[in-house]
Amino acid sequence: MSEIPRYNFRETEQKWQGVWEERKVFCVGSSQSAPPRTLATRDSLPPTYYVLEMFPYPSGNIHMGHVRNYTLGDVLARYKRACGFEVMHPMGWDAFGLPAENAAIERKVHPAEWTYKNIDTMRGQLKSIGLSYDWSRELATCDPEYYRHEQKFFLDFLKNGLAYRKESFVNWDPVDNTVLANEQVIDGRGWRSGAVVERKKLSQWFLRISHFADALLAGLSDLSDWPDKVKTMQEKWIGKSVGAKVTLSVAGCKLPVEDAGLEIYTTRPDTLFGMSFCAISPQHPLAQQLATGNRQLANFIEDCNRTGVSEEAIEKAEKKGFDTGLKVTHPFDKNREHPIYVANFVLMEYGTGAIFGCPAHDLRDFEFATKYGLPILPVVSDSGNETSLTEAYTGDGKIIHSDFLNGLTVDQAKEKAIEELVKLGIGEKTVNYRLRDWGVSRQRYWGCPIPVIYCNHCGVVPVPEKELPVKLPEDVTFDKPGNPLAHHPTWKHVPCPACGKPAERETDTFDTFFESSWYFARYCSDKSDSQPLSKPAMTKWMPVDKYIGGVEHAVLHLLYARFFTRALKACGYIDVEEPFKGLMTQGMICHETYKDASGNWLYPEELVRKDGMLLDKKNGQPVTVGRSEKMSKSKKNVIDPREIILSYGADTARLFMLSDSPPDRDLEWTEAGIDGAWRYINKLWRLLLEENITAGPVDEMEALKLRQATHKTIAHVTQDIERFHFNKAIARIRELSNLLGTLSDKNVGNARAEAVNTIVHLISPFLPHLAEELWEKLGNKDMLVHRSWPKADPELCKEDEVTIAIQINGKLRATIACAADTGREEVESLALSVKNVQSSLEGKQIRKVIYVPGKIVNVVAQ
């Protein structure tokens, strides 16, 4: 028996990465060279599959989150290719953004130089993981050949009424010196800088995302392959509400509002009899008019402007108000008057910028009324007798203390109140949305220039298409605060395209989410194509079959991309509405945190283990081990993937990332876990290359068991990959390899070779380098990457059936027959679907379900 050579992961991984690249294994032909997909030809062409991970910002080095995210997509891409699909799996760079400008200031280097250097570094790091990317489709959003197309999109949006400019209050990040969209304000702070956001009035460009609010909301129901939590987040952000606009009479005011009245919007007209006050936004025209002659009010409004304009920032701020001295008359009771406040929690952009306050049934109104000593009158009750409240009641119930609405349910009262408002001629039913138009202007250099010119004679003039792209100037300086484009001595000065007189370019650049809202579509087209989006290519590839990335993008990138796709369709570029058919949001990678005796964070490499204790390398003092948290540089609990790949190999890193936790759950990084993955790879190497020369006749019984296990593993692993249960798939492969190891002293004939080849096939999406090397060592002349996915023999996959008793509170109600290895969830589902069980449970609440595998399902109900 010849000695098995030691597995050399460095040689193996470099070898196969070189072969894949040299032979262009993962490059797919452009749609222009592929035959058109028609009804007549579609059956003869391979099906397509587009898998994509959210592209990275080129910060300089990949982190463990990148490794996990991109490995998940790689498994799917390799598997689908083996299943006969024509797979597109591209990669690119989300390359504009403030970090490059900050680096330019800190390192005295041009943002472009810093960015492209980082791209080169990260490209090499990604290649070292063995990812099956089609690098021929690589793009960087800072490339003028990319952003010239989005400048054209913007001009078309302008023509079609989907882009417009207006002066408005915006969220201003005082550290990054730029505007932030509402979605980019997290807990009242800038999403990148962490600075407290302020309110500032500027002229801004907006995209009319609100035009598609209904379509974006309705489209969520078609996204069956999206996580429910993401759809719920988008539904909440779009925030469709049905309510009423009501015009209230204002007394004691010599401003135009006395004649016109104050128009408010409410989603709770059922609680109008609980009105205690009205509140208007600091930006409401009435507030602005009153402030011109009232210094105290002007100061109050100025103070309000120090808070961001996002709902989240306003909701978390202390509720403050200024009594204007004006009063409104109650719409249903002319004998009641209520004060009008200017309040810091009312948004001008939502509804009409004016609301009525019902403290008894709104948490925010209750806080405000308590602070200013305003009446709190309950008008909704679940018992019918409340006269006072210690906190706002926001539940359901019947209407009380409300004249003609008394005794109605909340929903009935809403309809009745609106009906009465319409009859009185002071109100109407209205649909409103929380979603605001997307402000895309940013006051920075490293972004895509907005292609418009301002002329004193012609106004706003679009840059002619033949002059696109409008490129960024290279000779910029960052020695002054603010936007370097606005400070540039020559770049902004141009003749007006319409009249030829002196004019100025727009010096704002696009929000970087503009670039990431369509990059997935650009991958589909040939780079040489002068058109941004080839319709044949879009028909072939879009929508993306599986998109993989973090849930933190649910109401930023993912919502913008859905809007952008619809906007492109409205402008005639494409025929699809949804960019991503399927979505998978992966969990975070967590690691313990460590602190020294002074409470300073320590990196793992600054520690040493001695006598079972973790010590600080510097002084030998014990360190404090904190709870596991998301890896972050600030807490120094990051693990550098380059070191792991150098010490253990890419396949080991991949195996640990894939086997230790379901993809959508957080993964706990442990040294024991990575060591275990490395040991298994070496065990597999030895096991599959081991020669089996057991003498004697074939043990037919053991051979049949091995064949059955082999084909059941094929079936289960196939199913697990389709369901994104990668950790389960790997566990099943381990089970088969363990079984094979127990048969080393038995002669199982050809069943062993079948099992060995099957294991090599099944590990190939997960451990591609090891699989290719094993395939070659086993004497195969072709590459494994070109082989088809193994198919399970149904005859060998048949399971022994078991009969399971179904009990309700211990009493037998039915029996079901199912395969012996049917999972718990499926057994319980089958049990609860039996008609006799359903009828026995009618009107009862299930408390718990007890399952004794293969024997009994007992439903405890009452």
Side-chain angles (χ1 to χ4, degrees):
M1 183 183 294
S2 58
E3 187 177 342
I4 299 171
R6 181 186 176 86
Y7 179 53
N8 188 324
F9 69 83
R10 290 193 185 90
E11 261 182 33
T12 299
E13 291 180 356
Q14 287 177 11
K15 168 186 169 181
W16 291 110
Q17 287 166 18
V19 171
W20 295 329
E21 186 166 358
E22 180 187 346
R23 299 186 188 179
K24 297 185 175 10
V25 170
F26 306 117
C27 292
V28 289
S30 70
S31 61
Q32 288 80 1
S33 61
R37 289 180 176 265
T38 65
L39 287 173
T41 63
R42 68 181 182 184
D43 292 336
S44 61
L45 294 171
T48 59
Y49 196 86
Y50 184 2
V51 58
L52 182 66
E53 304 92 54
M54 295 179 186
F55 64 170
Y57 180 78
S59 57
N61 288 297
I62 62 171
H63 53 66
M64 280 300 178
H66 290 135
V67 177
R68 189 183 195 197
N69 188 17
Y70 304 143
T71 301
L72 293 173
D74 193 55
V75 170
L76 192 60
R78 287 176 177 274
Y79 163 74
K80 288 293 184 181
R81 187 176 288 106
C83 289
F85 285 82
E86 184 182 5
V87 174
M88 182 163 71
H89 187 208
M91 174 47 73
W93 311 96
D94 192 7
F96 274 138
L98 277 168
E101 285 193 39
N102 294 337
I105 296 167
E106 292 168 14
R107 298 173 173 83
K108 308 280 192 247
V109 62
H110 194 280
E113 181 185 340
W114 184 82
T115 299
Y116 280 108
K117 183 179 178 183
N118 288 348
I119 287 174
D120 289 342
T121 299
M122 291 179 69
R123 186 192 301 111
Q125 291 171 356
L126 291 180
K127 286 184 176 182
S128 73
I129 306 170
L131 303 167
S132 59
Y133 288 135
D134 179 356
W135 286 103
S136 70
R137 294 175 183 265
E138 181 184 12
L139 59 81
T141 58
C142 63
D143 183 347
E145 286 305 303
Y146 178 85
Y147 68 69
R148 72 184 176 101
H149 296 305
E150 69 183 49
Q151 290 177 339
K152 175 63 166 60
F153 293 156
F154 178 79
L155 297 181
D156 287 331
F157 291 168
L158 206 52
K159 285 179 197 171
N160 286 273
L162 297 175
Y164 64 95
R165 188 170 183 255
K166 72 170 183 178
E167 193 174 62
S168 71
F169 280 89
V170 295
N171 299 304
W172 181 258
D173 188 315
V175 171
D176 283 340
N177 286 306
T178 191
V179 170
L180 301 176
N182 284 341
E183 296 87 341
Q184 294 166 325
V185 179
I186 312 297
D187 294 333
R189 296 176 179 271
W191 73 296
R192 279 197 186 278
S193 71
V196 175
V197 170
E198 300 172 357
R199 194 179 311 197
K200 194 171 185 178
K201 197 167 192 178
L202 294 173
S203 286
Q204 297 282 290
W205 284 100
F206 290 83
L207 297 186
R208 211 178 294 276
I209 189 172
S210 61
H211 179 74
F212 296 93
D214 259 332
L216 290 167
L217 192 60
L220 291 172
S221 62
D222 297 325
L223 299 176
S224 58
D225 197 18
W226 276 44
D228 287 339
K229 63 182 177 183
V230 174
K231 292 192 286 186
T232 299
M233 290 166 77
Q234 288 207 5
E235 184 177 350
K236 184 178 177 183
W237 192 262
I238 294 166
K240 182 177 182 178
S241 61
V242 179
K245 278 185 181 175
V246 187
T247 302
L248 301 174
S249 298
V250 180
C253 176
K254 298 193 183 209
L255 295 169
V257 72
E258 185 171 17
D259 297 324
L262 178 67
E263 188 178 58
I264 64 168
Y265 172 76
T266 177
T267 59
R268 295 295 305 271
D270 56 303
T271 63
L272 273 166
F273 279 98
M275 181 189 297
S276 175
F277 64 93
C278 277
I280 59 176
S281 165
Q283 285 75 51
H284 194 283
L286 176 58
Q288 296 293 308
Q289 288 172 324
L290 293 171
T292 56
N294 188 324
R295 188 65 233 166
Q296 279 186 301
L297 177 56
N299 289 340
F300 175 79
I301 292 174
E302 192 176 316
D303 183 60
C304 291
N305 290 342
R306 295 192 183 97
T307 306
V309 298
S310 73
E311 281 187 54
E312 186 177 35
I314 289 171
E315 201 63 37
K316 292 190 175 183
E318 180 191 355
K319 308 301 177 284
K320 296 178 182 177
F322 185 94
D323 191 345
T324 64
L326 303 179
K327 296 184 184 295
V328 295
T329 303
H330 194 280
F332 297 141
D333 186 348
K334 303 303 179 188
N335 295 317
R336 286 174 58 179
E337 289 187 341
H338 304 284
I340 300 175
Y341 282 81
V342 178
N344 67 339
F345 57 83
V346 182
L347 281 166
M348 189 61 221
E349 292 79 12
Y350 183 77
T352 62
I355 57 119
F356 85 89
C358 177
H361 306 292
D362 183 277
L363 298 173
R364 178 196 59 194
D365 294 352
F366 188 92
E367 180 186 338
F368 187 82
T370 302
K371 180 174 182 175
Y372 290 102
L374 299 169
I376 299 173
L377 175 66
V379 291
V380 180
S381 171
D382 60 351
S383 60
N385 58 5
E386 277 88 349
T387 56
S388 63
L389 294 170
T390 55
E391 61 181 11
Y393 174 69
T394 57
D396 209 349
K398 295 286 184 73
I399 304 300
I400 59 173
H401 305 149
S402 297
D403 196 7
F404 63 92
L405 299 178
N406 285 338
L408 299 178
T409 66
V410 167
D411 288 340
Q412 290 170 339
K414 285 180 182 178
E415 293 298 324
K416 184 67 176 174
I418 293 173
E419 187 182 303
E420 187 67 18
L421 291 167
V422 171
K423 191 188 297 182
L424 293 170
I426 58 172
E428 62 179 1
K429 192 172 188 175
T430 308
V431 175
N432 200 35
Y433 296 91
R434 180 175 181 261
L435 182 67
R436 307 268 69 83
D437 283 341
W438 175 14
V440 294
S441 298
R442 298 293 179 269
Q443 296 66 42
R444 59 167 175 253
Y445 165 73
W446 195 235
C448 172
I450 299 176
V452 293
I453 292 168
Y454 301 110
C455 174
N456 289 333
H457 301 275
C458 307
V460 177
V461 183
V463 172
E465 188 179 340
K466 65 183 180 183
E467 295 180 16
L468 300 180
V470 176
K471 294 184 180 180
L472 292 167
E474 294 184 8
D475 55 333
V476 288
T477 59
F478 298 90
D479 52 354
K480 296 180 184 176
N483 185 356
L485 291 178
H487 303 148
H488 196 280
T490 59
W491 178 81
K492 65 183 177 183
H493 299 292
V494 291
C496 171
C499 69
K501 292 180 180 177
E504 287 192 7
R505 292 191 188 281
E506 170 65 81
T507 57
D508 286 353
T509 53
F510 285 131
D511 178 5
T512 53
F513 282 102
F514 202 104
E515 285 84 58
S516 61
S517 292
W518 73 282
Y519 79 105
F520 45 85
R522 180 59 184 157
Y523 281 137
C524 300
S525 301
D526 194 292
K527 280 186 179 178
S528 61
D529 195 336
S530 60
Q531 294 301 311
L533 304 172
S534 157
K535 278 204 172 181
M538 295 295 292
T539 301
K540 178 177 180 179
W541 292 110
M542 289 294 290
V544 176
D545 289 284
K546 186 67 79 173
Y547 196 41
I548 303 168
V551 72
E552 67 271 17
H553 298 292
V555 291
L556 284 165
H557 164 56
L558 290 170
L559 186 60
Y560 290 154
R562 294 184 64 224
F563 152 69
F564 214 91
T565 304
R566 285 168 168 78
L568 290 174
K569 183 182 180 184
C571 293
Y573 281 99
I574 57 178
D575 295 322
V576 296
E577 288 196 335
E578 290 294 346
F580 314 118
K581 179 182 176 184
L583 174 70
M584 206 293 293
T585 54
Q586 89 279 3
M588 299 182 296
I589 302 180
C590 304
H591 192 281
E592 307 179 313
T593 52
Y594 312 102
K595 286 184 177 180
D596 64 17
S598 302
N600 300 311
W601 299 105
L602 294 171
Y603 285 112
E605 56 266 28
E606 296 178 284
L607 312 175
V608 62
R609 189 176 292 277
K610 188 175 181 182
D611 299 327
M613 291 183 64
L614 278 177
L615 306 176
D616 188 337
K617 271 185 185 177
K618 295 191 299 289
N619 53 30
Q621 294 295 311
V623 303
T624 303
V625 180
R627 64 188 177 87
S628 182
E629 297 186 42
K630 176 188 175 183
M631 285 189 182
S632 70
K633 289 181 182 177
S634 63
K635 294 183 179 175
K636 296 189 174 183
N637 65 336
V638 293
I639 301 293
D640 189 339
R642 294 171 298 175
E643 292 181 9
I644 299 301
I645 292 169
L646 188 65
S647 302
Y648 294 96
D651 279 348
T652 300
R654 291 170 65 115
L655 179 60
F656 175 70
M657 291 286 180
L658 296 166
S659 63
D660 203 60
S661 181
D664 58 343
R665 304 270 183 87
D666 290 350
L667 183 147
E668 181 70 28
W669 180 273
T670 64
E671 296 299 323
I674 198 73
D675 284 339
W678 168 240
R679 286 196 303 274
Y680 178 67
I681 282 176
N682 283 276
K683 175 185 174 182
L684 208 54
W685 171 260
R686 292 189 300 272
L687 174 67
L688 300 186
L689 293 182
E690 185 179 65
E691 292 181 38
N692 188 277
I693 52 174
T694 307
V698 173
D699 187 332
E700 298 293 349
M701 183 69 73
E702 292 295 342
L704 178 59
K705 285 182 182 177
L706 180 57
R707 292 206 68 212
Q708 287 175 329
T710 298
H711 285 265
K712 287 176 184 177
T713 302
I714 293 171
H716 288 310
V717 169
T718 301
Q719 188 178 68
D720 288 335
I721 294 177
E722 291 284 356
R723 294 177 177 177
F724 245 75
H725 296 166
F726 296 164
N727 60 316
K728 287 184 180 179
I730 290 170
R732 295 185 199 277
I733 296 169
R734 282 185 185 246
E735 287 175 10
L736 180 59
S737 66
N738 289 340
L739 174 62
L740 187 62
T742 66
L743 298 173
S744 59
D745 60 344
K746 293 201 169 107
N747 186 352
V748 291
N750 294 332
R752 185 182 192 284
E754 182 184 38
V756 167
N757 286 333
T758 295
I759 291 172
V760 174
H761 264 100
L762 297 181
I763 65 168
S764 61
F766 309 101
L767 313 173
H769 310 92
L770 176 66
E772 284 287 6
E773 188 68 11
L774 284 167
W775 188 250
E776 184 181 74
K777 293 285 186 191
L778 291 169
N780 297 286
K781 301 301 180 188
D782 58 343
M783 288 173 65
L784 182 58
V785 74
H786 294 313
R787 281 291 186 113
S788 297
W789 189 251
K791 286 186 168 46
D793 184 339
E795 290 300 314
L796 293 168
C797 291
K798 286 182 178 177
E799 299 284 354
D800 295 333
E801 276 196 348
V802 293
T803 300
I804 298 177
I806 308 171
Q807 299 177 343
I808 297 178
N809 296 329
K811 293 183 179 179
L812 182 66
R813 296 297 182 188
T815 60
I816 56 171
C818 58
D821 69 342
T822 305
R824 176 184 182 129
E825 287 182 10
E826 192 175 344
V827 170
E828 291 180 2
S829 177
L830 287 169
L832 295 172
S833 67
V834 176
K835 282 188 178 179
N836 190 34
V837 173
Q838 289 179 339
S839 61
S840 298
L841 287 172
E842 193 170 345
K844 295 179 180 177
Q845 185 178 2
I846 297 174
R847 311 301 291 182
K848 63 180 176 177
V849 179
I850 302 167
Y851 177 49
V852 180
K855 294 180 180 179
I856 298 170
V857 173
N858 184 25
V859 182
V860 180
Q862 65 179 37

